[in-house]
C-alpha cells in the first residue's frame, strides 16, 4: 500500500515514468522541474551541470538551455570556472512547480497557443472557454501549491494529497474509450 504522506516509491500499475495520459507535460518542463529539485536537494554551494544531467538522465546541452531559462527568470544563479556551477536563487520553499514550468514553457494552460480567456467560440461551443479556464484553475491549484522543498522532503501539501488519495486518480483512461459519467464511477453507499 502507498503511504499518502510521501511520494510513492514506485509508479502505480499501468502508469510509468514519462506517461502523461490526457495531460501533456513537455520534456523541457519535466527536465526543468527535475533539475530544480536536484538544486534544491544539493548541499550548499554550486552544483555542476554534469552532476545534474547525470543524476536526472537529462541531455547536458538541453539541460544547459533549461538552466539558462531558469537563470533568466531569476530562479537559478550560476558561476563559471572550476569552482562554478548552479544553485537556487531563492529558498526552495518559495519556488513552486508553476514557477519553474512558466519559466521554461510559458503559461500553464493555453488553447492553440493563446491564453484561455482570450479564446472565443460561437454557437453551441460558446461556453467551452469556461471549461478551459476551469482546467487552468485546476492546474494552478496543484502546481502553485507544491514547492521544490515539498518534493525534496517527499511530503505534499494536504490538498494535493487528497487528490491522489482517490484510487481513480491513478487510473489512466485510453483515447477513444468511453469515460462513464461521474455518478456511474462513484461507488454507491448501501441504503
Amino acid at each position: 500500500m502507498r503511504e499518502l504522506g510521501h511520494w510513492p516509491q514506485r509508479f502505480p500499475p499501468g502508469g510509468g515514468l514519462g506517461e502523461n495520459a490526457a495531460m501533456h507535460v513537455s520534456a523541457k518542463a519535466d527536465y526543468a522541474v527535475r533539475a530544480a529539485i536536484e538544486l534544491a536537494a544539493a548541499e550548499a554551494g554550486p552544483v555542476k551541470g554534469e552532476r545534474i544531467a547525470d543524476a536526472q538522465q537529462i541531455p547536458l546541452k538541453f539541460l544547459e538551455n533549461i538552466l539558462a531559462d531558469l537563470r533568466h527568470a531569476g530562479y537559478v544563479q550560476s558561476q563559471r570556472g572550476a569552482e562554478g556551477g548552479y544553485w537556487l536563487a531563492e529558498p526552495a520553499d518559495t519556488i513552486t512547480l508553476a514557477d519553474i514550468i512558466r519559466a521554461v514553457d510559458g503559461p500553464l494552460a493555453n488553447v492553440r497557443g493563446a491564453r484561455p480567456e482570450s479564446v472565443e467560440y460561437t454557437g453551441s461551443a460558446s461556453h467551452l472557454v469556461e471549461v478551459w479556464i476551469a482546467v487552468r484553475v485546476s492546474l494552478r491549484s496543484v502546481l502553485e501549491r507544491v514547492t521544490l522543498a515539498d518534493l525534496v522532503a517527499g511530503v505534499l501539501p494536504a490538498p494535493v494529497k487528497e487528490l491522489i488519495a482517490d484510487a481513480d486518480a491513478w487510473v489512466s483512461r485510453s483515447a477513444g474509450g468511453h469515460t462513464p459519467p461521474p455518478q456511474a464511477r462513484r461507488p454507491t453507499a448501501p441504503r
Side-chain angles (χ1 to χ4, degrees):
M1 179 160 174
R2 213 172 37 253
E3 184 175 307
L4 296 178
H6 297 281
W7 283 97
Q9 295 300 311
R10 292 188 303 254
F11 288 94
L17 186 61
E19 290 183 26
N20 300 310
M23 187 181 128
H24 175 78
V25 175
S26 72
K28 190 173 187 180
D30 180 53
Y31 289 164
V33 168
R34 290 166 41 204
I37 294 166
E38 281 295 317
L39 292 175
E43 302 293 324
V47 179
K48 299 281 186 198
E50 295 85 4
R51 183 172 141 209
I52 298 167
D54 288 344
Q56 290 300 319
Q57 300 173 352
I58 301 172
L60 182 58
K61 284 293 185 190
F62 199 19
L63 175 65
E64 289 170 348
N65 290 331
I66 289 166
L67 290 169
D69 287 346
L70 293 176
R71 192 177 65 242
H72 179 72
Y75 297 114
V76 169
Q77 291 183 338
S78 65
Q79 177 180 322
R80 292 181 186 210
E83 300 299 316
Y86 301 90
W87 63 92
L88 292 179
E90 298 178 19
D93 64 351
T94 66
I95 303 173
T96 67
L97 297 187
D99 295 329
I100 300 299
I101 293 169
R102 285 182 184 121
V104 298
D105 270 354
L108 294 178
N110 68 66
V111 179
R112 295 177 281 123
R115 294 179 184 271
E117 68 274 12
S118 68
V119 177
E120 293 183 29
Y121 299 101
T122 60
S124 57
S126 64
H127 294 283
L128 184 56
V129 68
E130 296 165 13
V131 173
W132 300 148
I133 297 291
V135 168
R136 179 176 63 189
V137 169
S138 180
L139 287 170
R140 285 177 178 171
S141 74
V142 173
L143 298 174
E144 289 180 348
R145 280 192 174 123
V146 179
T147 68
L148 297 177
D150 294 332
L151 293 169
V152 170
V155 180
L156 295 174
V160 177
K161 287 187 340 189
E162 287 175 22
L163 292 172
I164 64 170
D166 180 359
D168 193 50
W170 295 92
V171 177
S172 294
R173 291 185 176 70
S174 62
H178 174 70
T179 302
Q183 64 272 19
R185 288 195 312 259
R186 288 189 200 127
T188 54
R191 295 182 188 239

